Amino acid sequence: MLLAALPAARAQDGGAAAGPPEAGTVAAALDQVTIVGSRARNRTVFDSAVPIDRFGAREVENALSSGDLGAALQDLAPSINFPRIESSGAADSVRGIQLRGLAPDQVLVLINGKRRHASAVLDTESSFAGIVPVDVNAIPPGAIDHIEILRDGAGAQYGSDAVAGVINIVLKRARSGGSASISYGAHHTDFEPTDTTKTDGHTTTISADYGFPVGDAGYFRFGAEHRDRNPTNRAGRSDAGWTSWNATPADLALDGQVVFKSGDSEQRNNYAFYNTLLPVAPGIDAYSFATINRRKSDGSAYFRYPGDPANVPEIYPNGYRPTTKGDMTDVSVVAGLRLAAAGWNWDVSARHGGNKFRYGLERSVNASLGTASPTSFHLATFDFDQDALNADLTRELDLGMPVNLALGAEYMHEKYRSSPGDPASYAAGPFSAAPPGAQAGPGLRPQDAFDGSRSVRSVYADIESDITPRLLLGAAARYADYSDFGGARTGKLSARYKFTDTFLLRGSLSNSFRAPALVQTGFRFATLNFNSDGTALQTAALLPASDTLARAFGAQELQPEKSTNLSLGAAWRPQRNTSVTVDAYRIRLRDRITRSSDLQSDAATAYLAGIGRGDIQSVAYLANLLDTTTKGLDVVFNHDLPFAGGKLDLNAALNLNKTRIDEVRQGSAALARIDPSLTLLTDNNLFRIRNASPRSKLVLGADWQGERWSAQARATRFGPLKDFSYDEEAEMIDGVHAQRFGAVWTVDVEAQYRFTPRLTLAVGADNLFDRYPDRVRETNNATYGGALPYNFINPVGLNGAYYYARLRHTF
């Protein structure tokens, strides 16, 4: 639902500064009117009853050095992580962000205050497998003016998904002028596992935007961007005798070579956007904005050795590594009217969001077809559409005290369709000794395709009042009715008390309701993954809970997730250019939707073979398996001062975060009939859920701006991590073999020189000192025979240092 209308004032962006800025940036940022967190028109970041971060254009541009918005958000906010996945199929194309340690589908993303649609692809293999994230990297980076992050539960205010908080991305809206930029960068790193120096991941970005006035107060801003990113590879040398299936002479001839891949996919992104406001009559404004992203990604699956049963030696005498192909189109369009009538401010709008993902393979084979097999396959198409109509009304009342009242209603309709792959991608051919279906697939079968829809009706009321000049109270309530999951009521209470003009306490209590995403109810696919002890790969079918085979393995109808969020904090501004905020939070999640473990055993394999499903070795599905509690603390410090003829901004931000598992629902009578030893979540799965993100993250930043020169530096400490290990001699932690990974510091720097007031050159480095996480234990082939020397869950990533240059011209 539209949830937080833009301020009525038609803000205009300033041009490039011709000289050093004045001190007082901290005060200016704190006094900015916020779009999220409050519907009161004049509520500032400092005055808000909930913690809000606001990152301006300069901060955002610097953090976007690599072009990934998800990575930029991780750099900007200590409460956000953007974990990378390795050799993971569709996740090479679509990745989600975490806020406060929760799953990526538990943060709501807005554009100009309007809900952003989710992806059409369900995450099947990350630490939060089973979720449907918003693909923030589909938002044009060059379109962003500033970013606001509400770090608080806000389901009653903004609807489902706002469990951990809200990210609002505000598009550029300057009435005149434009900018054009070109940047180039690459990773350059000393890679210890292979004792080589690598230069890869070459990235070129070309971006331009322009605005012109419409009438006396309107504007039309538009732009486009193109980005090419070459892949990276951080795989190690493989022990062919261990990683190959049969250890044939042809397999062993590849011993000690880098045949696997672990790193970023190759991507080609094209973006476009517009943002416009048109005064159509006194007191009536029409507005519209849109974004589009076309992304093609080439990822990588696991290597198949020459003697592997999944190989056809006549086609690949030296083995092969399938290339996963992602072709994604993402479109979002919003249009509406803002007007004042009968004492109310109206915002009536319609929006459409669509995400289509076409999934394919190259350099693969369906070995059961023998030499007749093609080598390229279309595996499936996933298509998600979301359309909505909404109305939001606000007015200020004088009831002896100022009261801001907001009311709203929305009708939303969602559609999700999956289409089958090529017949050869799922065929079981005449060579029964070989696995059927395309390798790194198989494709979606026609009988497994899905076509479903649902509607959601919701209403809300939001009231906020300065009871006294020092006491602010707020309350919000929402009712939503889902055509497939029924109705739910949510609410929120918030308060802020100013002891002085420079010190306040704030807190909130809320509950949220998140119905299963439509994609979660219908998505199915098969992927290649490790078996339970990491000694081999297996084809695992991920099925919807409604599927007959999933029901045979114990699946039950998905239920909505419910959560409660409690926060308490303080904000202090001891002087105009200094601020400190401290906010503690507790988030309780019940009936958390999670992907089950791969249900695989000899008994399960026999059962699958007995019903004619020998094409898969294990079954998984989504279920409400967990209750969890996440506790944490956010601390943010900002200070600016005159320095060396310019202005120096200093900041520090800390996030402490811990997730506890309160309850696990492990089995059912149906599953026990197949194999009583099977459990829905293994100890390894539970261990990763508890430890999927660092328990601490610290960001230290400095930004100096002078007459012609300016410089930025940011040091980030990702705290220690733990993850399960396939090494049976590894330390036992919480009942599983696990490895501890130490904290990692990274340093990012950038320097800019302004040749003219409009032409600026920037050069910089991310991860300047080429830091990597700790190596995975090499004993007992915990690295999969040396192929995967680093654990992928550490947010610092696996690519090493990245160097870049950017030339920007404003006009």
Side-chain angles (χ1 to χ4, degrees), residues 271-403:
Y271 301 94
F273 83 96
Y274 74 81
N275 188 23
T276 185
L277 177 75
L278 175 64
V280 295
I284 302 177
D285 290 339
Y287 65 89
S288 180
F289 57 89
T291 66
I292 184 169
N293 174 222
R294 180 71 185 274
R295 178 189 307 149
K296 293 189 176 182
S297 302
D298 293 352
S300 183
Y302 289 107
F303 182 76
R304 276 70 169 172
Y305 279 86
D308 194 305
N311 186 31
V312 178
E314 293 85 353
I315 299 177
Y316 298 115
N318 299 314
Y320 64 101
R321 186 176 69 221
T323 298
T324 58
K325 308 286 288 187
D327 187 344
M328 189 270 288
T329 301
D330 187 279
V331 178
S332 175
V333 182
V334 176
L337 287 173
R338 296 194 186 104
L339 65 150
W344 291 88
N345 296 306
W346 290 70
D347 187 333
V348 182
S349 66
R351 73 171 187 271
H352 167 76
N355 184 274
K356 175 178 283 190
F357 186 81
R358 303 167 185 85
Y359 192 29
L361 285 171
E362 288 184 355
R363 194 171 169 76
S364 182
V365 70
N366 182 341
S368 72
L369 298 174
T371 56
S373 172
T375 58
S376 298
F377 304 87
H378 172 65
L379 298 181
T381 298
F382 305 104
D383 196 351
F384 176 72
D385 289 300
Q386 184 183 86
D387 297 285
L389 296 171
N390 57 54
D392 294 85
L393 297 82
T394 62
R395 72 178 299 169
E396 296 176 358
L397 305 174
D398 187 359
L399 303 178
M401 65 188 76
V403 175

Side-chain angles (χ1 to χ4, degrees), residues 590-592 594 624-627 663-665 681 686 689:
R590 298 177 299 283
D591 296 326
R592 188 166 172 172
T594 307
N624 301 92
L625 298 180
L626 294 173
D627 295 345
E663 184 178 347
V664 184
R665 301 168 187 87
L681 287 174
L686 294 170
I689 290 169

Side-chain angles (χ1 to χ4, degrees), residues 35 112 145 159 166 173 278 449 514 527 572 689 731 779 791:
I35 298 175
N112 285 354
D145 178 76
V166 179
R173 55 186 184 270
L278 175 64
R514 199 190 74 81
T527 56
W572 181 40
I689 290 169
E731 177 185 3
T779 54
N791 185 297

Side-chain angles (χ1 to χ4, degrees), residues 266 269 272 318 327 332 353 454 474 531 548 600 631 677 753 805:
E266 180 178 357
N269 275 279
N318 299 314
D327 187 344
S332 175
R454 73 174 176 200
N531 61 9
T548 302
Q600 189 272 332
K631 297 179 180 179
S677 69
Y753 180 74

Side-chain angles (χ1 to χ4, degrees), residues 453-505:
S453 64
R454 73 174 176 200
S455 59
V456 185
R457 298 171 175 85
S458 57
V459 294
Y460 77 90
D462 189 347
I463 189 168
E464 186 176 271
S465 176
D466 288 288
I467 304 298
T468 72
R470 299 203 179 277
L471 177 63
L472 168 70
L473 295 179
R478 175 180 295 270
Y479 177 77
D481 180 67
Y482 289 75
S483 61
D484 50 354
F485 288 102
R489 297 172 178 84
T490 57
K492 180 172 183 175
L493 299 173
S494 60
R496 181 225 68 209
Y497 186 79
K498 283 187 174 183
F499 288 90
T500 68
D501 289 340
T502 61
F503 179 76
L504 61 84
L505 292 180

Side-chain angles (χ1 to χ4, degrees), residues 624-692:
N624 301 92
L625 298 180
L626 294 173
D627 295 345
T628 64
T629 299
T630 299
K631 297 179 180 179
L633 181 73
D634 290 324
V635 182
V636 180
F637 166 83
N638 289 283
H639 177 70
D640 65 59
L641 69 158
F643 181 78
K647 179 179 69 70
L648 177 63
D649 295 332
L650 301 173
N651 60 80
L654 171 69
N655 173 255
L656 304 176
N657 191 80
K658 181 179 180 180
T659 294
R660 181 188 72 210
I661 295 178
D662 300 320
E663 184 178 347
V664 184
R665 301 168 187 87
Q666 276 289 24
S668 67
L671 183 61
R673 284 194 291 270
I674 293 175
D675 186 344
S677 69
L678 290 175
T679 58
L680 291 176
L681 287 174
T682 67
D683 289 340
N684 285 353
N685 295 131
L686 294 170
F687 190 88
R688 180 163 282 176
I689 290 169
R690 286 192 295 265
N691 299 280

